[in-house]
Amino acid sequence: MRFASVFFVFVLFPLTAFSQETDIPCKDVAEVGRSVMMVRQSGVPIEKAMGLVLNGLKEQSPEHQKMLEPVYRKIVTLAYQEQQYSTNRDRIDATDKFVKSIFNRCARRLPRS
């Protein structure tokens, strides 16, 4: 239960920014990636991580759910394709690298203003 509470704080807190915006802020998407990768590095099964992420989307409007669900599914899938490490230093490095990767993927897809 404690795990779920911590996970929702990491995942849902950044999502509040989506309620007033039509574009997906890449830093918020990257923070979701950070949360998912931390869970992945902790050894949580992919099914549980996916369930927590999708359950967190229920707090969003239907429009945002439709927009974010495929993005979050992809983030979970990508995180679980990465190696799980045994040392804290390697876990932190893998998480940081993953966050940068998610941010860069997001930034490449957003329209330039």
Side-chain angles (χ1 to χ4, degrees), residues 58-81:
K58 292 178 183 175
E59 302 294 321
Q60 301 297 313
S61 70
E63 177 185 305
H64 284 123
Q65 287 180 28
K66 184 178 179 181
M67 177 177 60
L68 295 172
E69 183 177 343
V71 173
Y72 287 4
R73 284 184 179 277
K74 185 66 173 179
I75 288 172
V76 173
T77 301
L78 290 170
Y80 279 80
Q81 289 173 353

Side-chain angles (χ1 to χ4, degrees), residues 16-30:
T16 58
F18 290 118
S19 62
Q20 301 297 321
E21 300 178 16
T22 56
D23 289 288
I24 301 172
C26 290
K27 77 176 180 85
D28 292 344
V29 172

Side-chain angles (χ1 to χ4, degrees), residues 5-74:
S5 300
V6 171
F7 185 79
F8 283 121
V9 167
F10 280 119
V11 172
L12 293 180
F13 181 74
L15 292 181
T16 58
F18 290 118
S19 62
Q20 301 297 321
E21 300 178 16
T22 56
D23 289 288
I24 301 172
C26 290
K27 77 176 180 85
D28 292 344
V29 172
E31 286 306 311
V32 171
R34 177 180 306 284
S35 298
V36 172
M37 186 53 123
M38 288 170 57
V39 167
R40 193 288 182 257
Q41 291 298 320
S42 296
V44 173
I46 189 172
E47 298 82 14
K48 186 167 186 172
M50 186 72 76
L52 290 169
V53 168
L54 296 180
N55 192 40
L57 280 176
K58 292 178 183 175
E59 302 294 321
Q60 301 297 313
S61 70
E63 177 185 305
H64 284 123
Q65 287 180 28
K66 184 178 179 181
M67 177 177 60
L68 295 172
E69 183 177 343
V71 173
Y72 287 4
R73 284 184 179 277
K74 185 66 173 179

Side-chain angles (χ1 to χ4, degrees), residues 92-107:
I92 291 168
D93 290 345
T95 300
D96 290 343
K97 182 179 173 186
F98 186 73
V99 169
K100 289 176 188 171
S101 171
I102 294 299
F103 183 88
N104 290 335
R105 281 173 167 250
C106 177

